[in-house]
């Protein structure tokens, strides 16, 4: 099973700042990594698929990069609605696995 | 608009059974792979099961293999998850999710979830 490790566990930033979230895989997942956003009481929302492709309707301030074992989600300038929990997920191998999440909180 | 609506959640005794349903609308259900993902209270996301668009191919997490069964009825636009012999650790919100068209094992639409509570 591929283990995805997200860091940091919690990220405290202010609106307008740049956010950089990391996801590291225990073995290569090629570019088959997605990022999701989840707000309290809501279902997750797909942000990025296959490492760097924005999903439909996702603002351009969200970008993804990486391949192999190291991936990054960048939010260029935080909006108030961006404070949430973010998960990465790989689709390279069965079982599909998620990272443990990064909680982005307002500083 | 894509809509996924889960139903069938509730309280079930350990060792009992429960069937979750997910009614899909707003897209051609028979063209998309589907998955179930769960989230224990206060915890992260855990993928549970996958089914191909045709229903021929299925996959399961080791934690539920042999106890849960995923299925679909494309004539009814409905996805199912049969939970047999649930355990306390299966208590979670269960989400149905659609596989993305270009990457079916990434999940581009999610339902609001159904809470399953397993009592011992």
């Amino acid at each position: 099973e591929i283990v995805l490790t997200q860091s940091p566990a919690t990220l405290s930033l202010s609106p307008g700042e740049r956010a950089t979230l990391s996801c590291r895989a225990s073995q290569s997942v090629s570019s088959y990594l997605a990022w999701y956003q989840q707000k309290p009481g809501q279902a997750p929302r797909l942000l990025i698929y296959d490492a760097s492709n924005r999903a439909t309707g996702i603002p351009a301030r969200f970008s993804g990069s990486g391949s192999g074992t190291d991936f990054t989600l960048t939010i260029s300038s935080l909006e108030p609605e961006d404070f949430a929990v973010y998960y990465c997920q790989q689709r390279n191998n069965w079982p599909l696995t998620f990272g443990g999440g990064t909680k982005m909180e307002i500083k | 608009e894509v809509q996924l609506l889960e139903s069938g959640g509730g309280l079930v005794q350990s060792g009992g059974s429960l069937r979750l349903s997910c009614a899909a609308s707003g897209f051609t259900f028979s063209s998309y792979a589907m998955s179930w993902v769960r989230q224990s209270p206060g915890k992260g996301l855990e993928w549970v099961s996958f089914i191909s668009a045709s229903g021929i191919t299925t996959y399961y997490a080791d934690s539920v293999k042999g106890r849960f069964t995923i299925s679909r009825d494309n004539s009814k636009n409905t996805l199912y998850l049969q939970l047999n012999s649930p355990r306390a650790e299966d208590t979670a919100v269960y989400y149905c999710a659609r596989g993305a068209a270009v990457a079916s094992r990434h999940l581009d639409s999610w339902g609001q979830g159904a809470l399953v509570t397993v009592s011992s």
Side-chain angles (χ1 to χ4, degrees):
Chain A
E1 170 175 320
I2 294 177
V3 176
L4 299 178
T5 302
Q6 291 188 240
S7 60
T10 304
L11 189 55
S12 299
L13 293 170
S14 300
E17 290 193 290
R18 181 184 186 90
T20 303
L21 288 68
S22 174
C23 178
R24 177 164 289 177
S26 59
Q27 64 189 79
S28 176
V29 298
S30 186
S31 62
Y32 300 135
L33 189 105
W35 292 94
Y36 300 84
Q37 175 193 69
Q38 187 179 32
K39 297 179 181 179
Q42 295 185 18
R45 177 174 71 145
L46 177 67
L47 299 175
I48 302 287
Y49 65 93
D50 288 349
S52 61
N53 298 284
R54 271 191 303 277
T56 302
I58 302 303
R61 64 180 182 274
F62 291 92
S63 63
S65 63
S67 66
T69 61
D70 290 297
F71 299 86
T72 301
L73 174 69
T74 301
I75 310 172
S76 59
S77 179
L78 285 165
E79 298 287 340
E81 62 267 27
D82 297 337
F83 291 90
V85 180
Y86 292 82
Y87 294 96
C88 57
Q89 177 244 327
Q90 65 82 22
R91 72 173 182 95
N92 191 62
N93 283 28
W94 299 103
L96 306 182
T97 50
F98 289 88
T102 290
K103 181 179 181 180
M104 186 130 56
E105 62 179 29
I106 299 176
K107 187 174 182 180
Chain B
E1 179 193 2
V2 174
Q3 289 199 337
L4 299 168
L5 184 62
E6 299 94 341
S7 62
L11 181 65
V12 59
Q13 282 200 326
S14 179
S17 65
L18 192 72
R19 188 176 79 162
L20 300 178
S21 300
C22 172
S25 61
F27 65 103
T28 304
F29 180 70
S30 60
S31 296
Y32 288 83
M34 300 292 295
S35 283
W36 288 96
V37 175
R38 67 185 181 183
Q39 187 168 35
S40 299
K43 301 297 185 183
L45 301 171
E46 179 187 15
W47 170 78
V48 172
S49 186
F50 166 98
I51 188 166
S52 63
S54 66
I56 290 174
T57 302
T58 59
Y59 292 95
Y60 297 91
D62 285 346
S63 58
V64 306
K65 199 175 295 182
R67 300 186 299 119
F68 291 9
T69 301
I70 192 171
S71 62
R72 64 192 297 161
D73 186 335
N74 285 345
S75 69
K76 295 183 178 179
N77 293 342
T78 303
L79 174 72
Y80 302 100
L81 186 69
Q82 178 73 36
L83 287 66
N84 292 333
S85 300
R87 306 164 180 162
E89 55 265 35
D90 295 320
T91 292
V93 173
Y94 285 75
Y95 295 102
C96 67
R98 187 182 79 168
V102 295
S104 65
R105 287 166 281 175
H106 288 328
L107 307 171
D108 69 354
S109 296
W110 297 62
Q112 280 307 113
L115 176 62
V116 174
T117 303
V118 183
S119 67
S120 53

